[in-house]
């Protein structure tokens, strides 16, 4: 019988990506499937703080093994922005198109296009917290390329590639992405239990 893990997200894109990496060992459940209908708070000032806050919120509410992730796009020329505010960069509506538009506007004419995606996963298992971090370096393109993926994927080109995340298959992206790296660490850890 598969072990169950609650993944503190209602983002179907994230759920699909992580399910693809975790495979058949675990059955992932969403907070909604567990009766948690409210928005999970994420008001910390760091990516790791947000991940931790979200996993503790789920664990404190229903007392089951769970994990949460938080991801930020950190752009060198913008002193690390949007960073922890990546999802709400253009406002509380959390609209990816608006976020990309604002990012491209803020990067107009900027030569230094270096950026990185950072994901931190907070796992609470048996009441104890563990954290895993994945980083991928790359560049912000001057315009959108590709239609796959989500968030900033159409304007992020990982180092060593000539395509954006949005031009890659899910499998290819998962092999090299920030989230893929953090989840691989999570999976390796879960195998030791």
């Amino acid at each position: 019988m598969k072990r169950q893990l609650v993944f503190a997200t209602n983002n179907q894109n994230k759920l699909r990506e992580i399910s693809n990496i975790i495979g058949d060992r675990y059955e992932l459940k969403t907070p909604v499937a567990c009766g948690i209908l409210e928005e999970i708070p994420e008001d910390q000032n760091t990516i790791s703080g947000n991940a931790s806050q979200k996993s503790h919120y789920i664990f404190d509410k229903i007392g089951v093994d769970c994990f949460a992730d938080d991801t930020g796009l950190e752009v060198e020329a913008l002193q690390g922005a949007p960073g922890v505010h990546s999802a709400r960069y253009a406002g509380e509506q959390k609209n990816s198109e608006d976020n990309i538009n604002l990012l491209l506007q803020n990067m107009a004419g900027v030569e230094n296009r270096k950026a990185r995606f950072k994901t931190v996963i907070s796992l609470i298992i048996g009441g104890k917290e563990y954290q895993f971090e994945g980083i991928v370096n790359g560049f912000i393109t001057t315009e959108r390329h590709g239609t796959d993926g989500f968030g900033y994927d159409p304007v992020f080109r990982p180092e060593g590639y000539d395509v954006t995340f949005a031009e890659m298959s899910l499998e290819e992206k998962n092999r090299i992405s920030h989230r893929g790296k953090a989840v691989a660490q999570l999976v390796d850890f879960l195998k030791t239990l």
Side-chain angles (χ1 to χ4, degrees):
M1 186 159 151
K2 285 188 199 177
R3 286 179 70 171
Q4 289 191 343
L5 264 179
V6 176
F7 178 24
T9 188
N10 290 311
N11 180 323
Q12 293 305 308
N13 291 309
K14 275 189 188 181
L15 188 65
R16 191 174 73 247
E17 266 191 18
I18 291 187
S19 293
N20 181 271
I21 301 167
I22 283 187
D24 297 333
R25 274 180 71 96
Y26 287 84
E27 178 189 346
L28 293 187
K29 296 184 79 173
T30 62
V32 168
C34 299
I36 299 173
L37 306 179
E38 68 271 23
E39 190 161 335
I40 299 167
E42 49 178 330
D43 53 17
Q44 301 302 300
N45 59 4
T46 64
I47 291 167
S48 61
N50 271 347
S52 183
Q53 181 181 26
K54 290 189 279 188
S55 64
H56 279 281
Y57 185 84
I58 296 289
F59 187 79
D60 292 347
K61 220 145 160 86
I62 56 177
V64 299
D65 292 342
C66 61
F67 69 97
D69 81 318
D70 197 46
T71 295
L73 174 66
E74 300 173 337
V75 180
E76 196 173 279
L78 301 178
Q79 289 73 51
V84 73
H85 306 290
S86 292
R88 294 176 174 82
Y89 190 44
E92 286 301 314
Q93 72 277 16
K94 297 203 273 188
N95 182 287
S96 292
E97 287 302 305
D98 293 347
N99 289 338
I100 290 173
N101 288 339
L102 181 59
L103 177 64
L104 291 177
Q105 178 185 321
N106 289 341
M107 291 294 288
V110 175
E111 279 187 39
N112 177 4
R113 313 293 292 186
K114 287 182 185 174
R116 70 180 195 167
F117 265 123
K118 176 178 175 181
T119 291
V120 175
I121 291 175
S122 165
L123 168 71
I124 298 181
I125 207 149
K128 189 168 181 198
E129 182 182 11
Y130 304 87
Q131 287 200 353
F132 311 94
E133 180 181 279
I135 290 173
V136 63
N137 293 309
F139 306 91
I140 301 301
T141 57
T142 55
E143 57 188 31
R144 290 170 176 79
H145 297 278
T147 55
D148 288 334
F150 63 100
Y152 295 94
D153 286 357
V155 294
F156 183 82
R157 180 173 52 82
E159 217 169 60
Y161 290 80
D162 57 4
V163 293
T164 67
F165 273 162
E167 295 174 284
M168 295 180 174
S169 69
L170 182 58
E171 291 72 26
E172 188 179 7
K173 179 187 171 190
N174 282 342
R175 273 196 304 274
I176 64 164
S177 78
H178 47 295
R179 190 170 293 109
K181 290 176 181 180
V183 174
Q185 293 170 46
L186 169 69
V187 169
D188 285 346
F189 177 79
L190 291 172
K191 286 176 183 170
T192 69
L193 302 178

